[in-house]
Amino acid sequence: MSRVTLVQWQMLAAVVDHGGFARAAEVIHKSPSSINHAVHKLEAQLGVQLLETRGRQLRLTEAGEMLLRRARQLLESADTIEAVADSLSGGLEAEITIAIDQILAPETLCHALDRFSQQYPHTRVQLHEEVLNGGVEMLVDNRADLLICGLPVPGYLGELLGAIRFIAVAHPDHALHQLGRSLDLRDLRQHRQIVTRDSALREQNDSGWLKAEQRWTVSHVATCLDILARGLGFAWVSQARVQPLLDSGQLKALPLQAGGIREVPLSLYINDVEGAGPAVQAMAEALRLEFRT
């Protein structure tokens, strides 16, 4: 067990911060004698002199400065623990789980998380990056508090956030671009399509045009983009994800006669709208704000 208490450190800090025992006593509503006793007992327990008189002023010794500096960290941690406990007793969740479809732009997600953390810095966030029905399955199984995806969820009412544009792209040197003309689906059939796998455990569905004779299926959009940037296939990718590669010239939109661009509505789902705690509600609002700005 510790030989000293937080109260003793608080009293020492008050003496230093307010310039003496009398003023500290007024601020923290203790008698000067009780503060004096607590500080002298602290010195005796530690075996170190913490305060000394220089002229008419009471100052910390060199050892006292070092020890109080560390003690302040303990005091701040104790205050934080009490604040978190107060929040938890008031219904704040210790942790929330979010399922996000990988079509969502990373910067949108990061901005929302940053906004949320400024309000609830001590609430842990479990983030699952899913594809297609993977997020739907998590919500239905009560494994996610929030879901953002482009699919309808049976039994839930989604809140439309906006539309995600998908663009058919390939490397500028890809054979499809070398044809030098508008493309149709017959052209695509002769080349490798890159597809991101549905992350659901039970019901996996294919999405998009899948009639290419060659097809590679990957588990993450980032892998798909890396393959595309190496000229190894073509794919439809959300504009939010692919725009940096289009801007840098690493990828180029395919000149399809039709279907080169398609839009998918993106919706926000809350698992338990009426029972959602303050952290879930704050995270939902942070995501909404990202789509409004």
Side-chain angles (χ1 to χ4, degrees):
M1 298 293 290
S2 174
R3 290 177 292 171
V4 299
T5 67
L6 288 176
V7 172
Q8 288 173 288
W9 288 117
Q10 288 171 331
M11 289 187 176
L12 175 64
V15 171
V16 173
D17 293 343
H18 300 291
F21 291 98
R23 181 59 184 149
E26 293 177 9
V27 174
I28 67 174
H29 307 293
K30 297 285 186 181
S31 67
S33 60
S34 65
I35 297 179
N36 193 305
H37 174 74
V39 172
H40 282 93
K41 183 177 179 181
L42 179 61
E43 290 180 317
Q45 289 172 314
L46 295 175
V48 175
Q49 182 181 357
L50 301 173
L51 295 170
E52 62 182 0
T53 302
R54 298 180 189 173
R56 299 180 62 182
Q57 293 184 324
L58 193 64
R59 294 182 179 275
L60 285 169
T61 63
E62 184 176 341
E65 287 182 0
M66 182 183 70
L67 292 173
L68 182 57
R69 184 168 58 250
R70 295 183 175 231
R72 288 188 191 277
Q73 297 175 0
L74 290 175
L75 295 173
E76 290 175 4
S77 296
D79 289 341
T80 299
I81 291 171
E82 291 182 5
V84 172
D86 288 341
S87 297
L88 292 173
S89 66
L92 176 65
E93 307 92 320
E95 179 176 284
I96 63 173
T97 301
I98 311 169
I100 303 290
D101 196 292
Q102 291 179 25
I103 62 177
L104 184 68
E107 58 268 25
T108 298
L109 175 61
C110 288
H111 290 163
L113 287 170
D114 181 44
R115 190 190 302 271
F116 169 79
S117 68
Q118 292 177 31
Q119 190 173 0
Y120 294 109
H122 302 294
T123 296
R124 298 188 303 272
V125 176
Q126 289 281 353
L127 176 65
H128 294 261
E129 297 175 276
E130 302 294 330
V131 178
L132 296 171
N133 283 296
V136 173
E137 197 170 87
M138 286 194 67
L139 191 74
V140 172
D141 290 349
N142 292 316
R143 292 185 287 119
D145 300 303
L146 288 174
L147 166 67
I148 288 187
C149 74
L151 296 177
V153 182
Y156 290 82
L157 294 176
E159 177 184 341
L160 183 64
L161 296 175
I164 297 293
R165 174 177 291 187
F166 282 76
I167 304 175
V169 297
H171 190 278
D173 295 333
H174 191 278
L176 285 168
H177 283 301
Q178 303 312 307
L179 294 176
R181 57 174 172 79
S182 296
L183 308 176
D184 58 28
L185 298 184
R186 289 172 297 181
D187 296 314
L188 299 185
R189 286 193 180 96
Q190 309 305 315
H191 297 274
R192 183 184 300 115
Q193 182 180 3
I194 311 301
V195 179
T196 305
R197 179 183 295 108
D198 191 323
S199 60
L201 299 176
R202 294 189 297 272
E203 296 184 12
Q204 297 182 345
N205 293 325
D206 291 326
S207 179
W209 186 82
L210 299 167
K211 295 184 179 180
E213 294 182 7
Q214 302 178 56
R215 187 164 78 232
W216 288 356
T217 302
V218 300
S219 297
H220 202 282
V221 172
T223 307
C224 173
L225 290 172
D226 186 60
I227 291 172
L228 294 174
R230 297 173 188 273
L232 301 176
F234 73 92
W236 274 265
V237 185
S238 67
Q239 184 173 4
R241 286 276 192 174
V242 78
Q243 192 62 52
L245 295 178
L246 292 173
D247 293 341
S248 66
Q250 296 180 70
L251 292 177
K252 183 178 177 181
L254 290 172
L256 284 168
Q257 295 176 3
I261 296 177
R262 57 187 177 88
E263 290 191 343
V264 173
L266 198 66
S267 296
L268 167 68
Y269 296 89
I270 300 177
N271 193 325
D272 183 0
V273 177
E274 295 182 355
V280 169
Q281 295 179 27
M283 188 70 235
E285 183 60 21
L287 289 164
R288 293 187 191 103
L289 287 172
E290 287 305 310
F291 282 87
R292 292 174 190 160
T293 56

